[in-house]
Amino acid sequence: MFSKELKSALRSAKNIVCLTGAGFSAESGIPTFRGEKGLWKNYSPEELATPQAFLQNPELVWEWYTFRKKLILGAEPNAGHFALTELENSVEKFHLITQNVDNLHQRAGTQNVTELHGNIFKCRCFRCGKDFEEGLPLQEEIPSCTFCGDLIRPGVVWFGESLPFNAFSDSAIFARSADFFILAGTSAVVYPAAELPIYALNEGAFVLEINPERTRLSTLVSESILEKSGTVLPELIKILK
Ligand code: OAD
């Protein structure tokens, strides 16, 4: 499955950085954003994941997020998540950058995680930004801010919004300092996350892409494996044993 160059780059790697996307959680039963039609009623994620959509119809957006949270709460981390935790424990330096908001990497035990697009289990006030703990059971009705009375929104990044403070600048530093970079389960179409593997490549890192489908980065990376991350990563960590 792996080339000689890959094995040698991995064995000598001192600093591994990984970027994951929705496809990484697909094997846990969580649908991806693209390529999946009819995910929820007749709306596409792009129509619901915007501040404008929340202003127009907050109940609908809250309902969509509650639907997703329930799906995630019923899911478990998969073999890919656990393999990354093992990888983290096997190398000198490891950092995981994820576009996923589902918390599954943390549930699988990975420690050094930067969430580029927030976390679906966090909320904050739409107006004043005060953080809010939703807790369990999930609240079917949108809570109001205890500070200013406005509506509480999901703590994720929506289209047209900035990434959490420092999340991208820190990630860019991690990507540039990597000697081995893994890009798994992302279509690499959403910027600025899709720039990170390019930063790593420009600094001479070995960049491995794991995705059953080709992406626009497939021809640029050092090696592209057209397989599922839950299949490839458990095999990849065997190289270090
Ligand atoms: P996408 O839904 O765009 O892409 C998922 C990718 O995962 C596709 O390229 C699939 O081929 C691949 N894939 C599917 N199953 C896989 C598996 N088992 N193993 C490995 N790869 C698999 O998801 P993202 O790239 O994460 O942003 O999308 C990026 C961002 O767009 C998301 O974070 C979200 C979305 O809009 C925001 O919400 C801001």
Side-chain angles (χ1 to χ4, degrees):
M1 185 186 273
F2 307 112
S3 71
K4 262 202 287 191
E5 291 74 22
L6 182 153
K7 288 181 186 166
S8 144
L10 183 64
R11 286 195 185 111
S12 59
K14 303 232 173 318
N15 187 351
I16 300 184
V17 175
C18 184
L19 171 69
T20 62
F24 207 91
S25 295
E27 290 160 84
S28 295
I30 300 172
T32 58
F33 288 93
R34 293 172 187 80
E36 189 89 20
K37 293 275 176 254
L39 168 65
W40 191 71
K41 298 188 179 173
N42 295 319
Y43 300 93
S44 72
E46 284 83 355
E47 282 174 78
L48 294 162
T50 67
Q52 292 77 12
F54 189 75
L55 278 173
Q56 254 169 24
N57 195 342
E59 289 80 16
L60 177 74
V61 174
W62 189 261
E63 193 190 345
W64 184 55
Y65 278 92
T66 303
F67 161 81
R68 288 178 58 202
K69 280 184 263 193
K70 285 180 180 167
L71 199 74
I72 293 165
L73 285 171
E76 294 297 332
N78 63 55
H81 293 106
F82 289 113
L84 284 189
T85 301
E86 212 177 323
L87 189 59
E88 177 172 51
N89 295 330
S90 315
V91 290
E92 251 175 69
K93 274 176 104 178
F94 177 89
H95 202 93
L96 172 63
I97 304 161
T98 187
Q99 298 166 87
N100 297 346
V101 296
D102 58 25
N103 223 26
L104 288 183
H105 286 297
Q106 293 91 332
R107 278 172 60 193
T110 304
Q111 303 278 325
N112 288 320
V113 183
T114 296
E115 291 174 319
L116 275 184
H117 293 162
N119 187 305
I120 200 165
F121 294 105
K122 293 183 180 156
C123 311
R124 65 175 184 277
C125 174
F126 188 79
R127 183 160 55 166
C128 74
K130 183 177 160 49
D131 291 326
F132 179 83
E133 273 302 323
E134 184 184 5
L136 290 176
L138 297 174
Q139 304 201 13
E140 304 283 340
E141 304 288 316
I142 312 179
S144 302
C145 176
T146 49
F147 187 68
C148 76
D150 207 355
L151 294 179
I152 297 294
R153 57 161 283 176
V156 298
V157 176
W158 282 332
F159 286 97
E161 293 187 319
S162 317
L163 301 187
F165 188 63
N166 282 351
F168 187 74
S169 52
D170 288 352
S171 299
I173 294 170
F174 290 127
R176 288 196 173 99
S177 65
D179 45 24
F180 195 96
F181 188 100
I182 303 169
L183 165 71
T186 176
S187 55
V189 294
V190 173
Y191 284 83
E195 281 172 12
L196 295 169
I198 305 291
Y199 294 169
L201 272 173
N202 287 345
E203 296 300 325
F206 189 100
V207 177
L208 164 66
E209 179 178 61
I210 305 169
N211 192 319
E213 287 173 26
R214 292 196 168 278
T215 71
R216 60 175 65 177
L217 295 182
S218 301
T219 53
L220 299 177
V221 296
S222 318
E223 192 149 331
S224 161
I225 299 184
L226 297 173
E227 287 266 11
K228 295 178 175 179
S229 42
T231 306
V232 178
L233 285 163
E235 294 302 314
L236 187 85
I237 54 174
K238 288 184 188 162
I239 296 172
L240 294 174
K241 288 179 180 162

